[in-house]
Amino acid sequence: MDKSNGLRVILFPLPLQGCISPMLQLANILHSRGFSITVVHTRFNAPKASSHPLFTFLEIPDGLSETQIKDDPTSNVLSLVEQININAESPFRDCLQKLLVQESERVSCLIDDCGWLFTQSVAESLNLPRLVLSTFKATFLNAYPIFPRILTKGYFSLSDWEAEDSVLEFPPLLKRDHSWLFREDGEKLNQFFDTVVKNTMRSSGLLFMSCEELEKDSLTLAKETFMVPVFAIGPFHSYFSASSSSLFRQDDTCIHWLDNQDDKSVIYVSLGSVVNITKTEFLEIAWGLSNSKQCFLWVLRPGLVLGAEWNELFSEGLLRSLEEKGKIVKWSPQEEVLAHRAVGGFLTHNGWNSTLESICEGVPMICLPGGSDQMLNARFVSDVWRVGIHLEGKIERKEIEKAVRMLMVESEGKKIRERMNVMKDEVGRSVKNGGSSLRSIETLVNHILSL
């Protein structure tokens, strides 16, 4: 850590794994630049304070019952965000007021997730500058102002030939992507998008876990769209690992297993911390992996399969086939896995964290997005950057087997890998001396000091 500058930053992540990890990585970045850090968090999905002894953690009530928590409220993310925004506003205001009075160091600003809808008003009422962290690709957040217009286009009931058309307002998405992108209630989504846009435009700055090498034009557009200073300081995990912020117990035995595999021989399979699949989809993935005859490491977190525990679904023959070629764990140290010499591909849901981690390690992807920004990330991976294969929503054993074999052993996979290695090098330069992200961090630090 640089010498303390006598200023404190308050961070407030949404209680989702994909939002908590980048916020705590950001906390490490700012702490290394001399800022003291206080993390305000909800009771649900509380980060492990013991893993971050240099920060102060303050818990606020979130209004979720024990029954709701047991039933996993992340199964419907929009409903969780809506409810927790209602429940947490008053406790957060009280907490922030006390912090501003009690802290011996001056609180310079609040940085919170763009999914918090009340924090801009609270911060303004207390004369505290607020900066917004987007855990999405800048391209996705830029589309928030136009999403309500897209929702009126009727892309949900299209003929087969229309479904393949691109969306002129939001390339590179296809029209059929929107039935997955907007699976929630349209009116609620419109209100959410509108509030996020207005709050961001009233903020003191916008942070992205991205870099110019990945989306320079989108970052320029973000400045024009939201009319606030924009800081592209990612990929965050290139500075500080996300492993200490995991909400799940990581199974490190998979690293020893990988040590015994050949270079680039293993397909890593993980659909993240929120995506759910049906029993049928689960079995199709299992048979696809088995039939591909490729080694695999498969993350099967509790609750991934709707209405069942995954180990109840395997026949004796399928289980025996999988055990011959693969290893199954409940959760993995993903950054370490992707960096391992044995991993040659990543079957992913294309959350932005996972997509960035895969790019930074030069691991080409098989795209199986679940919804929201994952659809956009997958399109960029497969159609724009051409560093992966899109399953196009076909969770069928033959399609999965075909994609795995194409990526891992066929000539097309070699070409994809070559393009990914070029991309890895380009993004890697952003976090080195003189790189775009490092320069942006220094600009951000100076901006916070000026508030």
Side-chain angles (χ1 to χ4, degrees), residues 110-241:
L110 164 70
I111 303 178
D112 65 81
D113 194 284
C114 66
W116 287 119
L117 304 182
F118 59 81
T119 48
Q120 184 63 39
S121 296
V122 170
E124 289 173 349
S125 70
L126 298 173
N127 295 314
L128 182 66
R130 173 196 178 231
L131 281 76
V132 181
L133 172 62
S134 169
T135 56
F136 301 131
K137 197 175 187 292
T139 311
F140 189 74
L141 192 68
N142 285 342
Y144 271 37
I146 65 171
F147 277 156
R149 185 164 74 248
I150 293 175
L151 281 166
T152 67
K153 293 287 186 175
Y155 295 152
F156 300 99
S157 54
L158 300 166
S159 63
D160 290 342
W161 65 269
E162 287 179 306
E164 298 302 315
D165 291 346
S166 61
V167 179
L168 296 180
E169 305 93 336
F170 194 18
L173 286 183
L174 305 181
K175 288 182 178 178
R176 61 183 169 81
D177 291 334
H178 284 262
S179 62
W180 287 84
L181 187 65
F182 302 122
R183 288 185 291 177
E184 309 283 359
D185 182 83
E187 185 176 344
K188 287 183 179 180
L189 279 172
N190 279 341
Q191 294 172 355
F192 178 79
F193 296 143
D194 183 61
T195 303
V196 170
V197 170
K198 290 178 178 177
N199 285 345
T200 303
M201 294 177 72
R202 287 158 51 194
S203 73
S204 297
L206 175 57
L207 283 63
F208 288 106
M209 42 188 276
S210 188
C211 60
E212 291 183 6
E213 286 74 8
L214 282 173
E215 43 181 350
K216 185 175 183 178
D217 291 344
S218 292
L219 292 167
T220 300
L221 179 59
K223 295 176 185 177
E224 299 170 357
T225 300
F226 298 102
M227 296 179 288
V228 297
V230 169
F231 308 94
I233 59 175
F236 288 6
H237 76 279
S238 294
Y239 306 103
F240 293 95
S241 171

Side-chain angles (χ1 to χ4, degrees), residues 292-354:
S292 75
K293 307 301 182 184
Q294 301 302 302
C295 294
F296 66 87
L297 171 61
W298 193 1
V299 174
L300 291 175
R301 74 170 200 279
L304 171 68
V305 184
L306 293 168
E309 294 298 325
W310 63 265
N311 52 1
E312 301 171 353
L313 302 176
F314 286 147
S315 65
E316 185 176 337
L318 176 56
L319 180 59
R320 185 166 54 250
S321 172
L322 292 173
E323 287 177 340
E324 289 176 359
K325 278 291 187 178
K327 182 174 178 62
I328 295 173
V329 295
K330 292 182 178 180
W331 199 248
S332 75
Q334 180 162 290
E335 289 176 37
E336 191 175 355
V337 167
L338 289 170
H340 199 284
R341 59 163 183 79
V343 173
F346 183 13
L347 199 166
T348 173
H349 66 306
N350 285 113
W352 189 229
N353 286 296
S354 292

Side-chain angles (χ1 to χ4, degrees), residues 284-285 287-294 366 391 396-407 410:
E284 290 298 302
I285 293 172
W287 277 113
L289 291 174
S290 174
N291 294 341
S292 75
K293 307 301 182 184
Q294 301 302 302
I366 297 174
L391 284 171
E396 302 166 8
R397 64 188 69 184
K398 289 184 178 179
E399 295 295 329
I400 291 166
E401 176 190 352
K402 177 182 175 182
V404 171
R405 292 192 59 79
M406 181 184 296
L407 188 65
E410 295 178 6

